Amino acid sequence: MTGVCVGFPGLINHKDGNVIKSSQLVWEDVPLLRILEEQLAFSVLIDNELNLRAYAEGFLPKIKHHSMAVIGFGSGVGSALMIGDQIHKGYLNSAGEIGHTIVDTNGILCTCGNFGCLQTYIAESFLVQEASKKSNAQSLHKIISATEKGYKWAENILSRAITYASITVNSCVCMYNPERVILTGEMIEQFLHVRDRILQESRNKIWSPLSDSTSIEVSQLGEKGVVLGASMYSQREYINHLSTEKGWFNRITPISGFQKSRNRIVGGMMF
Ligand SMILES: [Zn+2]
């Protein structure tokens, strides 16, 4: 048996593998599982990429924990909550979409149609949109370069994003009371001084009764995190599916993975 597991940035109906919505890829109601199974002739699993990363973050370091929240800052803002060895998926597999919590009803128009969603203050496309009022910076990298050259507008945009990122961490801690918080995403992994500022401001902002008992960490898995999580998830599902069959263990070989299109679609394979 060969299977493919795909980590996808967006809302996935985990019962039928349909993409409900992906703001990053501007997809809506796409039967992705059916399309991939027809094209690949493999069994396919699909889940939100942050959910899959949480599997890898939770299992690979072999750290025993009660609960863990993974928060991603990049093209969007999202989170995944792991309690024990289970991902909390919610009724429609959309738990953790913290980027669309509303923080300012008079704020910027979000891709979802609401004003003032949290991600409009942190996600790269919105920062670029804000920067366009003062420059032609087309990426987070360009905005950060402008901060290093002393441009006030750039520092204001970045400082606000860091503040909202730290507010996100505090919100997750207040809502879920996780033992560990793992930060990931392009903003964390590609810009180390931004990462350090987010870490410091997050630790300062955490609700004081929980500040000593909550560990805030940075992902050590980098871009491989989703691939590894996809591989682990697919093996786990395979084992769950076949655990009553004799000899299933001998058919599993070590993890392999592939990655495509700048971490937008990633997957793990199992043979
Ligand atoms: Zn929104």
Side-chain angles (χ1 to χ4, degrees), residues 213-229:
S213 59
T214 308
S215 170
I216 302 177
E217 307 161 30
V218 171
S219 170
Q220 301 299 312
L221 302 178
E223 291 187 341
K224 294 179 181 174
V226 183
V227 176
L228 291 169

Side-chain angles (χ1 to χ4, degrees), residues 5-214:
C5 182
V6 177
F8 192 84
L11 295 183
I12 311 294
N13 183 328
H14 62 303
K15 293 173 183 167
D16 58 18
N18 284 356
V19 176
I20 300 169
K21 188 177 183 66
S22 171
S23 299
Q24 288 97 325
L25 298 181
V26 199
W27 286 17
E28 203 162 333
D29 297 326
V30 177
L32 184 59
L33 185 140
R34 180 173 60 77
I35 292 169
L36 288 176
E37 286 193 333
E38 286 174 0
Q39 296 293 319
L40 299 174
F42 294 155
S43 295
V44 174
L45 287 170
I46 303 174
D47 205 341
N48 178 274
E49 60 178 355
L50 216 51
N51 282 350
L52 296 178
R53 173 180 283 277
Y55 269 103
E57 299 285 356
F59 286 120
L60 283 182
K62 299 188 185 310
I63 297 173
K64 289 284 184 186
H65 55 245
H66 170 273
S67 54
M68 177 191 70
V70 176
I71 306 175
F73 300 115
S75 57
V77 176
S79 68
L81 178 68
M82 193 169 195
I83 302 172
D85 62 354
Q86 298 291 326
I87 301 291
H88 174 64
K89 292 175 176 288
Y91 177 55
L92 289 178
N93 198 33
S94 63
E97 289 289 341
I98 195 170
H100 293 285
T101 55
I102 295 171
V103 294
D104 181 1
T105 54
N106 296 314
I108 304 164
L109 185 65
C110 181
T111 50
C112 72
N114 281 335
F115 286 108
C117 289
L118 178 64
Q119 71 166 11
T120 63
Y121 298 94
I122 307 170
E124 180 173 12
S125 62
F126 293 98
L127 302 186
V128 168
Q129 183 180 313
E130 198 69 14
S132 68
K133 297 172 184 173
K134 296 294 289 183
S135 81
N136 62 353
Q138 295 293 309
S139 66
L140 179 59
H141 182 85
K142 291 274 175 55
I143 294 170
I144 290 173
S145 294
T147 66
E148 292 163 354
K149 292 172 184 166
Y151 287 100
K152 186 178 177 182
W153 61 264
E155 180 53 38
N156 283 339
I157 290 172
L158 182 63
S159 294
R160 190 176 69 171
I162 289 169
T163 295
Y164 275 97
S166 66
I167 287 171
T168 310
V169 173
N170 181 54
S171 297
C172 276
V173 170
C174 289
M175 283 192 295
Y176 302 130
N177 184 205
E179 184 179 348
R180 300 170 63 209
V181 175
I182 311 287
L183 305 184
T184 185
E186 291 97 330
M187 186 178 272
I188 297 293
E189 288 158 10
Q190 294 181 11
F191 307 100
L192 298 187
H193 65 290
V194 176
R195 176 200 69 188
D196 292 344
R197 286 176 64 181
I198 291 174
L199 276 173
Q200 183 178 359
E201 201 161 326
S202 295
R203 287 171 178 143
N204 289 340
K205 277 201 169 56
I206 284 195
W207 186 39
S208 55
L210 301 180
S211 59
D212 290 340
S213 59
T214 308

